[in-house]
Amino acid sequence: MDTRHKILLLDDDPDLLDVYREILGQLPSRPEIRTASSGARAIAMLESEPFSLLITDLKMPKMDGLQVLSIVRRKHPELRTVVLTSVAEEQFRSRVYALGVDLFWQKPGSEEETKLFLECLESLLGRELEAGFRGVQSKSLVDIVQLECISQSSSVLRITNGPLSGRIWINEGEVIDAETDGARGEEAFQKILAWKAGNFESLPAEPSRPQTIFKSYNALLLETAQAIDESRHSATASPPTEGATPDAPVTGLGALIQESGVEFVLAVKTAEPTKFEARGLENPQRLAAWSHATLNRFRTLGDQLQAGPVNQIHGLGWQRHVALAEQGDAQLCVGWVQSLSAETLQERMRKILALWGS
Amino acid sequence: MGFLNLFSKPAPELLRLTSGSFTLDRSGRLVVTTLPSTFPAELVAEIGRNILSTFREAQTAQVPLAELIVCYPALKITARELRGGAIVYLALQTLSGPVKQP
């Protein structure tokens, strides 16, 4: 079976396609190169066979590169994408990256630039999509802590998950302290280990750090795993809020409503808006319908404007504020106290989304 | 050479986002705008239509709103409710933050 990577090259200029095909033929991994001269043709090819990478121009007639990319991003989120263009404006570079493109590259004008471009492509092709913490690919945080402890290391693990940040202090193979978001010790350790993904870095040890955790790392990891399992089980087993459907997308909303300034939380399943769950709301039906309609409406508008996916929507009211966002297969609507400024609302909402994702 | 240019293919243009503002009355009619004329009128109308619908439906859903902010990675739309109409601000965003246009 042929295990070579397959690259789809899209440009409306057939001469350029020939030139790039020749250039890409120099890649060390010898990928198979296919070409398309229109956005519609490229999308049809992506539908019919798997590709590792799409390289596209921006300025093309009928369907431009930004339009192609917004379709590709939704239909093939796992596909690596590269923009190769003569457009140099910052606005387009930002919009391309907003669409989740891996690389924006101006058409190479020298041998040196071509060489750099090929190196970047080779690196993109070699990168596997794996979950876990950046720094140690495909490893969970439990694995990372275990590795540090088994090797009797002394270090400080700094873990970030969006706006959330935490530290775990390890001294000679034992976890001695943890800290995150106002919590310390075992409570902080459990909170950090509940995060599913993020970034991790190992900082120099701090042996003088006062010890707050006295359990062995094995006992600590076991208890933490049990606590995470129990909290997930209790979240899925909790009775639905009045008005919610029995098979609502229960997603641990209980923790979110405890955050400062939050008045209510409502989660709606994107594909099935009649399925929702709420905390702090007596009659969530109307709000669920409004949240769903509003997020869908502005997602469509974002596509038309080629401005990228909606990050957040804020509604500032006289009685309360609301913030909407989409994550995974669900939509979240959070009610906030009216005293918050728009900037604080955005910041707090980022934290809520990070907690929700965890 | 001038003769040959008659047959050259016009370069396709990309949609250029911009900063500026416009005002809509309660029926959705454009009252005044500072957006450049190159920005497609149908997109201005589409933005306005979505904003006014969202304000109206929020009222029905019992979350009356005075201001609506929609954050995209490349554009921020801020709309203030004006007695059934709205004033809408578009602010271009780049990776390094908001852009000030000349």
Side-chain angles (χ1 to χ4, degrees):
Chain A
M1 197 178 123
D2 192 358
T3 54
R4 284 191 305 161
H5 288 291
K6 258 195 329 194
I7 297 179
L8 178 58
L9 197 49
L10 167 62
D11 199 305
D12 62 316
D13 186 335
D15 295 335
L16 275 179
L17 282 178
D18 287 342
V19 172
Y20 291 136
R21 183 197 281 273
E22 204 167 302
I23 290 174
L24 295 180
Q26 298 168 23
L27 281 166
S29 57
R30 299 274 169 230
E32 184 184 339
I33 317 287
R34 307 285 300 277
T35 59
S37 56
S38 72
R41 173 79 189 129
I43 288 166
M45 287 173 77
L46 289 168
E47 293 288 322
S48 60
E49 51 188 312
F51 283 89
S52 314
L53 180 70
L54 166 72
I55 302 176
T56 177
D57 187 16
L58 281 186
K59 282 188 175 180
M60 290 181 290
K62 291 182 186 161
M63 190 188 280
D64 64 40
L66 290 167
Q67 289 168 313
V68 172
L69 288 166
S70 47
I71 294 169
V72 165
R73 187 187 154 276
R74 209 173 15 247
K75 286 191 170 176
H76 310 279
E78 73 295 342
L79 181 71
R80 298 277 182 200
T81 45
V82 171
V83 165
L84 185 61
T85 178
S86 52
V87 178
E89 283 166 81
E90 175 57 29
Q91 172 179 156
F92 293 108
R93 195 174 75 93
S94 293
R95 283 165 65 188
V96 159
Y97 280 123
L99 288 167
V101 167
D102 292 283
L103 185 66
F104 178 93
W105 200 277
Q106 275 190 269
K107 287 180 176 171
S110 66
E111 203 175 315
E112 188 61 25
E113 282 173 21
T114 307
K115 195 170 155 250
L116 279 173
F117 178 60
L118 290 177
E119 279 173 15
C120 288
L121 287 189
E122 193 62 35
S123 159
L124 265 181
L125 287 171
R127 206 183 294 167
E128 293 299 322
L129 270 178
E130 285 185 80
F133 281 76
R134 273 177 73 176
V136 184
Q137 291 277 325
S138 77
K139 292 278 180 283
S140 72
L141 201 49
V142 171
D143 295 332
I144 294 165
V145 172
Q146 262 180 334
L147 280 171
E148 289 288 300
C149 293
I150 288 167
S151 60
Q152 297 284 303
S153 298
S154 295
S155 64
V156 180
L157 299 180
R158 182 173 175 272
I159 302 110
T160 51
N161 175 12
L164 305 174
S165 171
R167 282 173 192 241
I168 297 171
W169 282 263
I170 297 171
N171 199 17
E172 293 176 355
E174 285 300 335
V175 177
I176 60 161
D177 194 14
E179 194 174 69
T180 184
D181 197 24
R184 207 169 156 196
E186 284 183 41
E187 186 195 351
F189 186 79
Q190 288 186 0
K191 275 190 170 183
I192 296 170
L193 262 74
W195 300 346
K196 285 179 193 151
N199 290 316
F200 130 84
E201 61 182 313
S202 186
L203 304 175
E206 291 177 22
S208 59
R209 176 83 183 175
Q211 188 164 1
T212 61
I213 298 174
F214 296 93
K215 287 180 181 151
S216 73
Y217 78 87
N218 274 326
L220 195 62
L221 287 172
L222 191 65
E223 279 180 22
T224 302
Q226 279 171 344
I228 292 170
D229 279 350
E230 278 166 20
S231 74
R232 282 182 187 153
H233 178 71
S234 64
T236 45
S238 66
T241 318
E242 192 183 339
T245 49
D247 49 350
V250 182
T251 45
L253 297 186
L256 305 186
I257 199 152
Q258 288 163 18
E259 286 297 307
S260 163
V262 173
E263 286 194 342
F264 65 80
V265 199
L266 168 72
V268 184
K269 218 168 179 177
T270 307
E272 291 165 276
T274 51
K275 290 184 179 171
F276 55 83
E277 193 209 340
R279 295 280 188 279
L281 275 172
E282 285 188 8
N283 294 304
Q285 289 89 344
R286 278 183 178 175
L287 196 60
W290 176 77
S291 304
H292 182 72
T294 303
L295 276 164
N296 286 358
R297 169 181 293 148
F298 286 105
R299 191 201 304 128
T300 307
L301 183 66
D303 287 346
Q304 287 171 297
L305 293 167
Q306 299 169 359
V310 178
N311 288 340
Q312 288 184 26
I313 299 175
H314 304 147
L316 310 184
W318 294 278
Q319 294 158 358
R320 66 173 60 85
H321 300 333
V322 287
L324 311 176
E326 201 161 13
Q327 197 161 268
D329 61 353
Q331 300 170 330
L332 193 68
C333 172
V334 183
W336 296 88
V337 291
Q338 194 267 346
S339 54
L340 293 183
S341 68
E343 290 74 30
T344 314
L345 182 62
Q346 184 168 16
E347 203 48 49
R348 297 258 179 105
M349 191 63 187
R350 282 185 64 219
K351 189 180 165 194
I352 288 281
L353 288 170
L355 282 171
W356 194 39
S358 292
Chain B
M1 288 301 283
F3 179 74
L4 286 176
N5 284 343
L6 284 175
F7 300 99
S8 64
K9 201 171 55 170
E13 277 305 311
L14 294 168
L15 171 67
R16 195 173 294 273
L17 295 178
T18 184
S19 295
S21 65
F22 59 95
T23 308
L24 302 161
D25 66 14
R26 60 171 59 237
S27 64
R29 197 167 52 90
L30 188 67
V31 179
V32 64
T33 176
T34 66
L35 293 170
S37 56
T38 49
F39 192 71
E42 59 273 23
L43 278 181
V44 177
E46 193 60 25
I47 296 169
R49 216 174 4 253
N50 284 304
I51 295 284
L52 292 188
S53 304
T54 303
F55 276 132
R56 277 180 205 138
E57 288 168 21
Q59 188 95 28
T60 315
Q62 293 170 344
V63 279
L65 301 177
E67 191 170 320
L68 185 71
I69 304 165
V70 186
C71 304
Y72 295 105
L75 188 74
K76 183 176 171 183
I77 303 175
T78 306
R80 293 210 179 101
E81 208 266 349
L82 285 180
R83 283 178 284 179
I87 179 161
V88 184
Y89 303 90
L90 305 186
L92 200 56
Q93 311 282 306
T94 65
L95 295 174
S96 49
V99 177
K100 279 195 173 171
Q101 300 233 133

